[in-house]
Amino acid sequence: GDSVTQTEGLVTLTEGLPVMLNCTYQTIYSNPFLFWYVQHLNESPRLLLKSFTDNKRTEHQGFHATLHKSSSSFHLQKSSAQLSDSALYYCALSDYVVGYNQGKLIFGQGTKLSIKP
Amino acid sequence: NAGVIQTPRHKVTGKGQEATLWCEPISGHSAVFWYRQTIVQGLEFLTYFRNQAPIDDSGMPKERFSAQMPNQSHSTLKIQSTQPQDSAVYLCASSPRTGQDTQYFGPGTRLLVL
């Protein structure tokens, strides 16, 4: 079945350093939809990025990611970490197929990002 | 605009009791999803509805969990004979028409089974 694998556990970085959280996926569908959701403490997940287009960079709030179907990857990057980036990050795959279903999200296990001064 | 509304925000039940969780999706959204979040398992899909019809309940524990969407403005998740392992944050999300669209999550109901 469909699955998502992320950088495991806790990633601790110093403010100002680059961020890279890995995400790879498995799916039988040729046109996957990938998402990054961010969840701050005591909040619910909210969308950070999404992509459906191969090899096209998508950006939002300083973060960017590129869907690479050749390597089944959708890594999240940011050039310079900020204290406010500390949160739980989930990579997710939608099982949406045109004309078939609405697309439930299959989440990776989540990566906790902690930024230190 | 109001986001997804979930009630109650917190619920404590004794083992074996029933728990009913409520969700009001964003007006105009046709899809409603239920997820469960725990520290160990992360975010897990439970079930979803499209235009009030159940579409996929593959994530639902079969015997004690049930979900309904009697009208377009609310959905319920019912857990019978709650067990300590049911303790989790239950999240409801809604999205507009297509599967490419963002899912908007509610604040969640934190269920604690003693």
Side-chain angles (χ1 to χ4, degrees):
Chain A
D2 296 339
S3 66
V4 176
T5 302
Q6 294 183 231
T7 301
E8 288 193 18
L10 173 65
V11 173
T12 302
L13 293 171
T14 301
E15 188 179 17
L17 291 182
V19 176
M20 181 160 177
L21 304 183
N22 289 337
C23 172
T24 56
Y25 63 90
Q26 287 188 324
T27 181
I28 62 173
Y29 301 114
S30 58
N31 295 305
F33 299 91
L34 273 294
F35 302 79
W36 276 100
Y37 278 80
V38 59
Q39 185 176 24
H40 286 93
L41 191 62
N42 297 322
E43 297 182 3
S44 54
R46 64 173 175 82
L47 180 73
L48 180 59
L49 291 172
K50 62 181 178 182
S51 182
F52 326 115
T53 306
D54 197 14
N55 297 319
K56 181 179 178 181
R57 174 170 162 149
T58 183
E59 299 187 39
H60 186 61
Q61 296 185 334
F63 287 91
H64 63 92
T66 303
L67 176 60
H68 291 296
K69 293 183 184 180
S70 60
S71 57
S72 298
S73 67
F74 190 55
H75 305 321
L76 182 67
Q77 299 181 69
K78 188 177 185 184
S79 59
S80 177
Q82 298 177 294
L83 295 175
S84 57
D85 294 332
S86 294
L88 186 56
Y89 291 80
Y90 285 101
C91 183
L93 169 69
S94 171
D95 72 347
Y96 174 69
V97 176
V98 175
Y100 178 62
N101 60 20
Q102 202 84 356
K104 67 177 182 285
L105 293 175
I106 298 108
F107 288 92
Q109 66 271 42
T111 303
K112 185 174 181 180
L113 179 64
S114 177
I115 308 299
K116 306 296 185 185
Chain B
N1 288 332
V4 175
I5 298 171
Q6 290 190 249
T7 56
R9 295 292 306 277
H10 302 272
K11 187 172 182 66
V12 180
T13 66
K15 182 179 176 181
Q17 293 184 329
E18 182 178 288
T20 300
L21 314 179
W22 295 71
C23 170
E24 180 179 332
I26 294 172
S27 178
H29 283 191
S30 63
V32 173
F33 303 81
W34 285 95
Y35 297 89
R36 176 169 65 180
Q37 185 174 30
T38 61
I39 292 175
V40 173
Q41 298 293 334
L43 273 165
E44 301 175 287
F45 166 78
L46 294 175
T47 186
Y48 83 91
F49 299 83
R50 182 176 68 232
N51 296 324
Q52 300 172 231
I55 301 298
D56 183 347
D57 67 354
S58 59
M60 293 275 273
K62 295 304 180 188
E63 292 187 351
R64 298 182 294 105
F65 284 60
S66 62
Q68 294 183 331
M69 191 163 185
N71 56 61
Q72 64 184 7
S73 64
H74 89 272
S75 174
T76 58
L77 179 68
K78 183 179 292 186
I79 309 172
Q80 295 179 312
S81 185
T82 54
Q83 303 296 310
Q85 62 264 32
D86 299 331
S87 296
V89 176
Y90 290 82
L91 291 161
C92 177
S94 70
S95 75
R97 187 176 301 270
T98 74
Q100 301 175 24
D101 285 330
T102 301
Q103 292 188 19
Y104 296 87
F105 285 82
T109 294
R110 186 176 296 274
L111 175 66
L112 177 61
V113 182
L114 300 176

